């Protein structure tokens, strides 16, 4: 692996930086940034496990950047959201430990259909709006769902931000921008948990990850600014577009 790192030229590093920037921008609005960064890392010749680990490093910077901006603009209450952030942290750690012993092939087969349903819901649902609304569902449903998503992110990962948003909208009654802000905070928590356990295993390529992290940080900051400025006018169409592209890409790779 050290030989591989020494052979990385400036053009490949610029390519990875660009992939991180684009992924950070898209992920901060619609989720799905891993669909860009993971193929980019694999294309660079990095083995799968090191790719997953390094991707968590750069993704952590993107989710932190978006979380920071949403917090500064008043869309996120850290104190109120912290218990659920701790919950997804724990379950993401469990997922990261589990993936080292369990094959994720069966999960990858159903993932494109889940993402496709997610995109279809956002495309046709008239209920999605900016304002928070009351929900009659017990909060336990939201807690259980977030725990499952946290485990999923540590175990597999693609589309986590999108699934978090959908859970917060449907089960928590949050408005679109507010759910996006909380989703970024929770995604940052799951990324950090997964990152820590990958780091213990020595699988992270720190140099590559930090180059991509810089692109992620800048892209996520710009994306979160765009989401706040244009709100539902850009968030909803981009979520639908990214969901369909992710589903099509995964189905193409399988069949």
């Amino acid at each position: 692996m050290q030989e591989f790192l020494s052979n990385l030229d400036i053009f490949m590093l610029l390519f990875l930086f660009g992939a991180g920037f684009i992924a950070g921008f898209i992920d901060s609005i619609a989720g799905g940034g891993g669909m860009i960064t993971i193929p980019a890392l694999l294309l660079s010749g990095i083995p799968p496990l090191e790719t997953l680990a390094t991707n968590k490093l750069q993704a952590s910077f993107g989710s932190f950047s978006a979380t920071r901006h949403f917090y500064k603009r008043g869309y996120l209450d850290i104190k109120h959201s912290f218990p659920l952030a701790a919950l997804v942290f724990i379950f993401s750690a469990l997922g990261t430990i589990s993936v080292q012993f369990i094959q994720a092939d069966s999960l990858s087969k159903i993932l494109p259909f889940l993402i496709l349903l997610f995109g279809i819901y956002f495309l046709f649902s008239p209920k999605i709006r900016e304002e928070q609304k009351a929900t009659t569902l017990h909060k336990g449903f939201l807690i259980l769902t977030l725990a499952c998503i946290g485990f999923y992110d540590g175990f597999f990962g693609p589309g986590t931000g999108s699934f978090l948003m959908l859970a917060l909208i449907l089960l928590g009654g949050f408005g679109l921008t507010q759910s996006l802000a909380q989703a970024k905070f929770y995604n940052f928590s799951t990324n950090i948990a997964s990152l820590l356990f990958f780091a213990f295993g020595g699988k992270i390529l720190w140099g590559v990850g930090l180059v991509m992290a810089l692109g992620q940080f800048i892209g996520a900051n710009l994306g979160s600014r765009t989401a706040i400025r244009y709100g539902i006018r850009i968030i909803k169409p981009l979520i639908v577009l990214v969901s369909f592209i992710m589903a099509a890409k995964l189905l193409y790779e399988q069949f």
Side-chain angles (χ1 to χ4, degrees):
M1 189 53 62
Q2 292 299 322
E3 181 181 352
F4 164 76
L5 290 175
S6 64
N7 289 334
L8 272 180
D9 57 28
I10 186 64
F11 297 105
M12 184 59 71
L13 290 175
L14 286 174
F15 166 72
L16 292 173
F17 172 86
F21 174 83
I22 296 171
F25 181 86
I26 293 175
D27 197 62
S28 65
I29 300 175
M35 295 294 178
I36 297 172
T37 53
I38 290 177
L41 287 163
L42 291 171
L43 186 63
S44 302
I46 299 175
L49 190 56
E50 282 77 6
T51 287
L52 291 176
T54 305
N55 183 65
K56 284 298 179 184
L57 170 62
Q58 60 90 34
S60 297
F61 280 78
S63 55
F64 170 76
S65 177
T67 298
R68 174 177 172 271
H69 191 72
F70 281 121
Y71 173 73
K72 289 175 64 177
R73 294 298 298 272
Y75 286 93
L76 178 64
D77 184 343
I78 296 289
K79 183 178 180 180
H80 181 266
S81 303
F82 185 80
L84 290 178
L87 175 76
V88 296
F89 179 95
I90 293 170
F91 278 87
S92 177
L94 293 174
T96 304
I97 295 171
S98 300
V99 76
Q100 301 176 53
F101 303 99
I102 304 172
Q103 292 295 323
D105 292 345
S106 58
L107 186 58
S108 67
K109 287 181 172 59
I110 65 171
L111 181 63
F113 299 102
L114 294 176
I115 293 176
L116 185 61
L117 288 174
F118 173 82
I120 291 173
Y121 173 82
F122 269 84
L123 179 62
F124 293 106
S125 175
K127 299 179 181 179
I128 297 175
R129 53 188 182 181
E130 292 286 2
E131 302 83 11
Q132 184 171 357
K133 61 180 181 180
T135 176
T136 58
L137 294 173
H138 192 278
K139 191 176 180 180
F141 289 105
L142 176 61
I143 293 174
L144 178 61
T145 302
L146 291 180
C148 292
I149 295 173
F151 182 88
Y152 163 78
D153 191 37
F155 186 83
F156 199 62
T160 296
S162 302
F163 295 139
L164 286 169
M165 282 185 62
L166 188 61
L168 290 165
I169 290 171
L170 292 182
L171 304 179
F174 295 100
L176 191 58
T177 306
Q178 191 179 10
S179 69
L180 177 59
Q182 290 198 58
K184 289 297 101 184
F185 180 42
Y186 299 151
N187 205 177
F188 173 63
S189 182
T190 60
N191 283 338
I192 289 297
S194 189
L195 175 66
L196 288 173
F197 280 89
F198 275 129
F200 291 152
K203 298 298 182 181
I204 299 174
L205 305 182
W206 293 96
V208 174
L210 290 174
V211 167
M212 297 185 73
L214 179 59
Q216 268 273 357
F217 188 89
I218 298 172
N221 187 270
L222 181 60
S224 57
R225 289 174 185 272
T226 303
I228 290 173
R229 181 175 181 181
Y230 295 102
I232 199 169
R233 287 177 294 164
I234 188 172
I235 297 173
K236 185 174 179 179
L238 192 54
I239 286 174
V240 173
L241 179 63
V242 170
S243 297
F244 288 170
I245 291 174
M246 282 195 295
K249 178 182 181 298
L250 291 170
L251 287 171
Y252 175 78
E253 291 174 348
Q254 287 185 28
F255 302 107

